[in-house]
């Protein structure tokens, strides 16, 4: 990998103005988001500002996407809180320490996967499972923010317990806080629906809501008079805990969460990069994406301690602002440095209910009901995987939920493979084309059965093949030849090879010959030295058409047989 990224070596100067403007706009518009996601992760708000600096620059230098923006995101934030809150008190020195080591360990793992060219691992989760996981996580996020909008104290480690405690605390709702939260949700939702076609510099509704509500709280002294919870003084120091080594037991407890956050981060980052690249007619390198994301998380470990990822809203703002190259990300990171140096005293009176409102609106947009409807109409198994993953996340937690999703996907794949589509073939009249006899009017040979198996053969689907063969043979006593059409068979495992050899012997004892047609080269290479191949009672045909003509000629007089061939 080149030390200097390709986009720097060949930077188009005419993009400079667009990239600088996009970086500045991105910095301004993600301030509320950065603060909100840090609080969502259980970290001090300044952590969100810190991890919008070095991680953004690291990804811009090492990633492959031209416009993806990396920083605090909702999924990694809620996952961080979910795995660390049972171990340490949120915002405590120990909690910050663990978050930093979680970011470091996941960053090292992701970067190692990129160096080892394991980008293909991100494809192991189907889209319905990812969508269901995101939807379930979004609901968890909204539930976790309800206490800030209601202005009540709730401490729990499960969704069910949180809902019960919220219901008990309803009489203690802070009415002023609730009004601020609901008004912010309404304003942000209206802006999200009505301003989506406006120029990006006019899409400053989150920042406007932040500024207006902060001004209201400050001018009316709502935090003192009505106990409205605010962010408070944002200290730009006090993050030195990230450099100390936690106790061994804590590190061991992070092993599972590290794998989970790394895997989800890989999937999210590559999926987002691919979607952006498709719109811009560009190509991405999945392995470089992992290297860039890993470097971003390593940088985050030493500059705020919060795991980061490829953000949907951040990237959307970056694209809408006119970003053309990763320079926009570099400009955004450097601009955030200036913001931190100038000071954030003006954010001290920012009500937590407003940050919670922005998180709720963002989380609501993460629930893709259309994907569920599409899956339900197209393939119920995928829809069940979507629902199972989402419900698993809600009922059992993020790690168990994603495990359920993976299990459902694998079960669905195994179920489909164990019940392969098998078609009896016939020839379309006057052609050399062969189709399913149940779908087309075809010509068949009464003494020959042509079966096409539309799946690789392995131990899990052999029973289905034997059952279909027995059914076809039981319906006709005239059959003397069976041709297995292997067009769609990419692999034959040991069990399948042995069962086919048994079928060959059984058919031979009944006076029936077994033939193969259209066997793929790699499959034939493996079968050539087996008992099945050397003891095959019939022939191996290059095509179905050849098999049909040869078997047809068996029942024709000699002169007609020569013409048929």
């Amino acid at each position: 990998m080149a030390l200097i990224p390709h986009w720097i070596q060949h930077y188009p100067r005419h993009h400079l103005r667009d990239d600088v403007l996009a970086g500045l706009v991105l910095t301004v518009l993600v301030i509320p988001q950065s603060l909100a996601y840090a609080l969502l992760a259980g970290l001090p708000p300044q952590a969100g500002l810190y991890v919008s600096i070095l991680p953004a620059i690291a990804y811009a230098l090492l990633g492959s996407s031209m416009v993806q923006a990396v920083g605090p995101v909702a999924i990694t934030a809620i996952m961080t809180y979910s795995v660390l809150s049972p171990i340490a008190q949120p915002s405590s020195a120990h909690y910050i320490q663990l978050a930093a080591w979680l970011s470091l360990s996941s960053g090292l793992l992701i970067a190692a996967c990129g160096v080892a060219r394991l980008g293909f691992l991100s494809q192991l989760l189907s889209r319905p499972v990812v969508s269901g996981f995101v939807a379930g996580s979004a609901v968890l996020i909204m539930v976790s923010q309800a206490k800030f909008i209601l202005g009540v104290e709730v401490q729990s480690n499960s969704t069910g317990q949180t809902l019960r405690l919220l219901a008990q605390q309803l009489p203690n709702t802070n009415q002023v806080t609730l009004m601020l939260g609901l008004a912010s949700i309404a304003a942000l939702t209206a802006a999200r629906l009505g301003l989506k076609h406006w120029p990006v510099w006019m899409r400053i509704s989150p920042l406007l809501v932040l500024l207006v509500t902060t001004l209201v709280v400050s001018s009316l002294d709502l935090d003192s008079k009505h106990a409205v919870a605010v962010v408070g003084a944002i200290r730009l120091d006090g993050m030195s805990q990230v450099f100390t080594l936690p106790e061994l037991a804590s590190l061991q407890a992070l092993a599972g969460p590290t794998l989970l956050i790394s895997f989800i981060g890989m999937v999210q980052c590559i999926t987002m990069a691919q979607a952006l690249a498709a719109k811009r007619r560009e190509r991405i390198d999945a392995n470089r994406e992992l290297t860039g994301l890993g470097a971003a998380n390593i940088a985050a470990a030493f500059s705020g301690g919060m795991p980061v990822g490829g953000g949907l809203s951040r990237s959307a703002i970056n694209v809408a602002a006119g970003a053309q190259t990763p320079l926009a990300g570099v400009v955004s990171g450097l601009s955030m440095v200036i913001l931190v140096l100038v000071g954030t005293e003006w954010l001290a009176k920012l009500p937590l209910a407003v940050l919670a409102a922005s998180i709720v609106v963002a989380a609501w947009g993460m629930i893709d009901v259309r994907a569920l409807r599409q899956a339900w109409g197209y393939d119920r198994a995928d829809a069940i995987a979507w629902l199972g993953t989402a419900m698993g996340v809600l009922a059992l937690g993020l790690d168990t939920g994603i495990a359920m999703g993976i299990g459902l996907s694998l079960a669905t794949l195994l179920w489909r493979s164990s019940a392969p589509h098998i078609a009896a073939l016939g020839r379309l009249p006057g052609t050399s084309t062969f189709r399913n006899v149940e779908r087309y009017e075809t010509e068949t040979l009464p003494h020959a059965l042509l079966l096409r198996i539309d799946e690789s053969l392995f131990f899990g689907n052999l029973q289905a093949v034997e059952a279909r063969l027995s059914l076809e043979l039981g319906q006709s006593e005239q059959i003397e030849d069976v041709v297995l059409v292997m067009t769609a068979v990419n692999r034959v495992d040991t069990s399948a090879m042995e069962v086919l050899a048994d079928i060959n012997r059984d058919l031979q004892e009944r006076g029936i010959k077994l033939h193969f047609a259209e066997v793929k080269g790699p499959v034939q290479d493996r079968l050539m030295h087996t008992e099945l191949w050397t003891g095959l009672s019939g022939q191996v045909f290059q095509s179905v058409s050849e098999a049909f003509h040869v078997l047809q000629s068996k029942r024709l007089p000699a002169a007609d047989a020569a013409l048929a061939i």
Side-chain angles (χ1 to χ4, degrees), residues 175-189:
Q175 299 299 325
V176 177
T177 299
L178 178 62
M179 290 175 59
L180 284 172
L182 293 180
S184 299
I185 290 176
L188 292 170
T189 302

Side-chain angles (χ1 to χ4, degrees), residues 253-562:
L254 293 181
T258 295
L259 292 174
L260 178 61
I261 287 184
S262 300
F263 193 46
I264 296 301
M266 290 164 56
V267 172
Q268 184 182 30
C269 182
I270 293 179
T271 300
M272 179 63 60
Q274 289 174 336
L276 293 170
K279 290 182 179 180
R280 294 167 53 87
R281 296 185 177 181
E282 297 172 345
R283 307 189 74 172
I284 66 143
D285 183 334
N287 298 308
R288 280 185 57 197
E289 282 300 298
L290 297 187
T291 303
L293 181 62
N297 275 281
I298 293 171
F302 297 97
S303 60
M306 178 181 177
V308 296
L312 173 60
S313 57
R314 281 174 175 263
S315 299
I317 292 173
N318 199 34
V319 172
Q324 299 298 324
T325 75
L327 180 62
V330 176
V331 171
S332 177
L334 296 177
S335 301
M336 192 64 75
V337 173
I338 297 174
L339 173 69
V340 170
L341 293 177
V342 167
T344 54
E345 294 81 4
W346 59 282
L347 293 172
K349 295 287 187 177
L350 173 60
L352 294 181
V354 176
L355 292 181
S358 66
I359 292 175
V360 167
V361 173
W364 179 259
M366 292 162 56
I367 303 176
D368 191 356
V369 179
R370 188 181 68 86
L372 175 60
R373 288 199 301 265
Q374 180 177 332
W376 189 264
Y378 183 75
D379 191 329
R380 296 288 173 85
D382 283 339
I384 292 173
W386 193 105
L387 289 170
T389 305
M391 298 306 296
V393 167
L394 292 175
L396 303 173
L398 294 169
D399 49 351
T400 306
I402 196 65
M404 284 183 59
I406 295 174
L408 287 170
S409 292
L410 293 177
T412 299
L413 180 63
L414 183 60
W415 175 74
R416 288 170 178 162
S417 298
S418 66
H421 178 259
I422 302 175
L425 302 183
R427 184 176 65 179
L428 296 180
T431 72
S432 58
T433 302
F434 291 80
R435 291 289 184 267
N436 190 341
V437 298
E438 296 180 0
R439 294 177 178 270
Y440 300 89
E441 292 292 333
T442 62
E443 299 173 348
T444 59
L445 302 176
H447 65 283
L449 172 65
L450 282 68
L451 281 183
R452 189 188 68 214
I453 305 171
D454 295 336
E455 183 63 69
S456 292
L457 295 175
F458 72 110
F459 63 91
N461 60 14
L462 300 175
Q463 186 175 0
V465 175
E466 290 182 290
R468 178 61 184 270
L469 184 58
S470 297
L471 177 64
E472 295 288 348
L473 293 176
Q475 292 177 347
S476 176
E477 297 181 356
Q478 304 178 50
I479 294 178
E480 299 175 359
D481 297 275
V482 172
V483 180
L484 295 184
V485 181
M486 311 281 276
T487 310
V489 177
N490 297 316
R491 186 173 183 274
V492 177
D493 74 356
T494 302
S495 299
M497 180 273 295
E498 293 176 351
V499 169
L500 288 176
D502 292 339
I503 291 175
N504 178 55
R505 286 192 294 269
D506 292 342
L507 292 177
Q508 193 170 14
E509 291 174 0
R510 298 167 60 178
I512 301 174
K513 291 184 177 181
L514 178 65
H515 310 271
F516 291 138
E518 300 188 3
V519 182
K520 292 186 175 181
V523 176
Q524 180 172 316
D525 292 342
R526 295 172 65 94
L527 292 177
M528 285 180 62
H529 305 290
T530 65
E531 175 189 355
L532 168 64
W533 200 264
T534 56
L536 190 65
S537 59
Q539 299 176 242
V540 178
F541 298 105
Q542 294 298 315
S543 67
V544 183
S545 180
E546 178 191 359
F548 189 88
H549 287 307
V550 170
L551 297 180
Q552 183 184 45
S553 66
K554 289 176 58 176
R555 291 303 183 88
L556 295 176
D560 293 339

